[in-house]
Amino acid sequence: MTERPDLDEIDRRILRELQADGRIRINELADRVGISHPNCLRRVRALRSSGVIKAIRATIDERRLGYEVVSFVTIQLESQHQTALGAFEAAIMPLPWVQQCWRISGDADFLLKCVSTGVEGMSRQLRQFAALPGVRAIRSFPSLGQSKDEPLPIPGHGDGAPG
Amino acid sequence: MTERPDLDEIDRRILRELQADGRIRINELADRVGISHPNCLRRVRALRSSGVIKAIRATIDERRLGYEVVSFVTIQLESQHQTALGAFEAAIMPLPWVQQCWRISGDADFLLKCVSTGVEGMSRQLRQFAALPGVRAIRSFPSLGQSKDEPLPIPGHGDGAPG
DNA sequence: TGTGAAAGAAAGTCCAT
DNA sequence: ATGGACTTTCTTTCACA
């Protein structure tokens, strides 16, 4: 929320560690990045309150919770006006099985990540999308599994230039 | 990794809390879910080592790190044989700007989430994908922002049935 | 900023149930 | 599998350099 203009190398190291293990102890973290504990604590707090760190959360195995199907869905609306886009977002907001919604450009207006307990659930969801006002086209991409999930590359050591 | 067949209501509460705040203290967590600290600690460890909790990590604001563009890319290969799919996955594995890769079915074989410092970087990435062997079709969906990002719905109180 | 100290809180261990 | 008591270890703040 607050502004935090420039991150130095220490901050970037902190971010790397926190992406690898969000529950790392402040002491351990301070040792790894090479600063004192109090300073490290201050920096972590600043990074969190400034919004550079959006959140620290557990990610859960969908299947172990009974969600057998993860699917991606692109949605194209009939109109790309703010009101139509906003109305769609408002409509999917209360649906708990829509985990993520991204506004995109290209052949569609939204990309959604959905979870369901089975294929019946998935097709029910697609019908529900189709019933929303202003929806022109729906494309569904059931996931067969995730083959890569890496933290954000953080420039500054040997992480490879981002391009 | 180890098997952990059934989660009880306490476990589900723990998962909810840990999705909301991955750095919550064991004591606080124990209070919230209504069990003792040692028991809570045991459960959290079990959930982590059994793989129900895949990870606890910080998520970082891409823009604050200089990534102005987040884009989704679908890739269709010429062949859907294991060898071709595996080769593609191996090829994108070392690319740090490919943050996620999902195997999908539908009009494409893979859905990628990519980050770059600007539109030039993005088009460079697309050219790089096009140069990979066996790539038939590429579709790019530059993101205009994320409008929803919610934790996995965990059944068991008023979270709404997942369908 | 780093250092060291010191209070307070939490984590981790063991045991009885 | 659980909660209680205990010991050890962290977190957090502060004064000082």
Side-chain angles (χ1 to χ4, degrees):
Chain A
M1 314 298 181
T2 314
E3 48 232 80
R4 165 141 305 271
D6 39 289
L7 307 177
D8 63 13
E9 177 57 28
I10 300 289
D11 287 320
R12 290 193 289 266
R13 279 190 215 151
I14 289 174
L15 294 176
R16 273 187 219 109
E17 296 294 336
L18 250 20
Q19 275 196 296
D21 178 7
R23 265 186 100 83
I24 187 174
R25 308 247 181 225
I26 293 294
N27 268 319
E28 170 75 8
L29 181 55
D31 285 351
R32 291 203 193 175
V33 306
I35 59 176
S36 67
H37 315 153
N39 191 8
C40 186
L41 181 61
R42 252 177 283 139
R43 283 171 182 261
V44 171
R45 288 215 252 244
L47 289 167
R48 296 192 76 173
S49 69
S50 69
V52 173
I53 295 173
K54 291 193 291 187
I56 299 181
R57 336 168 134 175
T59 62
I60 296 181
D61 189 323
E62 298 94 351
R63 303 198 143 193
R64 303 295 281 274
L65 259 150
Y67 298 108
E68 292 297 325
V69 177
V70 174
S71 67
F72 295 92
V73 178
T74 63
I75 307 261
Q76 188 187 35
L77 301 187
E78 283 161 5
S79 154
Q80 278 68 241
H81 289 315
Q82 264 306 337
T83 49
L85 297 169
F88 179 84
E89 285 173 348
I92 58 115
M93 219 51 189
L95 306 176
W97 37 270
V98 178
Q99 231 193 310
Q100 296 182 15
C101 174
W102 296 80
R103 279 204 195 193
I104 55 179
S105 67
D107 294 347
D109 298 308
F110 295 100
L111 173 67
L112 312 180
K113 183 190 175 209
C114 305
V115 295
S116 58
T117 52
V119 284
E120 332 73 40
M122 190 184 73
S123 45
R124 212 179 316 125
Q125 291 172 6
L126 292 177
R127 268 178 270 123
Q128 218 166 322
F129 287 136
L132 293 178
V135 169
R136 171 179 291 162
I138 297 173
R139 220 181 284 253
S140 172
F141 302 91
S143 166
L144 307 175
Q146 185 167 12
S147 43
K148 185 173 185 180
D149 186 15
E150 289 298 318
L152 251 205
I154 297 182
H157 66 311
D159 219 342
Chain B
M1 312 296 184
T2 314
E3 50 233 81
R4 164 143 304 272
D6 40 290
L7 307 178
D8 62 13
E9 177 56 28
I10 300 288
D11 288 320
R12 288 192 290 265
R13 279 190 216 153
I14 289 174
L15 294 177
R16 272 187 220 111
E17 296 294 336
L18 249 19
Q19 275 196 297
D21 177 7
R23 262 186 104 81
I24 187 175
R25 308 248 179 224
I26 293 295
N27 268 317
E28 170 74 10
L29 182 56
D31 285 352
R32 291 203 193 177
V33 305
I35 59 177
S36 67
H37 316 153
N39 191 7
C40 186
L41 182 61
R42 269 191 302 260
R43 282 170 181 262
V44 171
R45 287 215 254 244
L47 289 168
R48 296 191 74 173
S49 70
S50 69
V52 173
I53 295 174
K54 290 194 289 185
I56 299 181
R57 324 169 144 182
T59 62
I60 296 181
D61 189 322
E62 298 94 350
R63 303 197 142 194
R64 303 294 282 272
L65 259 150
Y67 299 109
E68 292 297 325
V69 177
V70 174
S71 67
F72 295 92
V73 178
T74 63
I75 307 262
Q76 188 187 37
L77 300 186
E78 284 161 3
S79 154
Q80 278 66 243
H81 289 313
Q82 263 306 339
T83 49
L85 298 169
F88 179 84
E89 286 174 348
I92 58 116
M93 219 50 188
L95 306 176
W97 36 271
V98 178
Q99 232 193 308
Q100 296 182 15
C101 174
W102 296 79
R103 280 204 194 193
I104 55 179
S105 67
D107 294 346
D109 298 308
F110 295 100
L111 173 67
L112 311 181
K113 183 190 174 209
C114 304
V115 295
S116 58
T117 52
V119 285
E120 334 73 40
M122 191 184 73
S123 44
R124 213 179 317 125
Q125 292 171 5
L126 292 177
R127 268 178 270 124
Q128 221 166 320
F129 288 137
L132 292 177
V135 169
R136 171 179 291 163
I138 297 173
R139 221 180 284 252
S140 172
F141 301 91
S143 166
L144 307 175
Q146 185 167 11
S147 43
K148 185 172 185 180
D149 186 15
E150 289 297 319
L152 252 204
I154 298 181
H157 67 311
D159 219 343

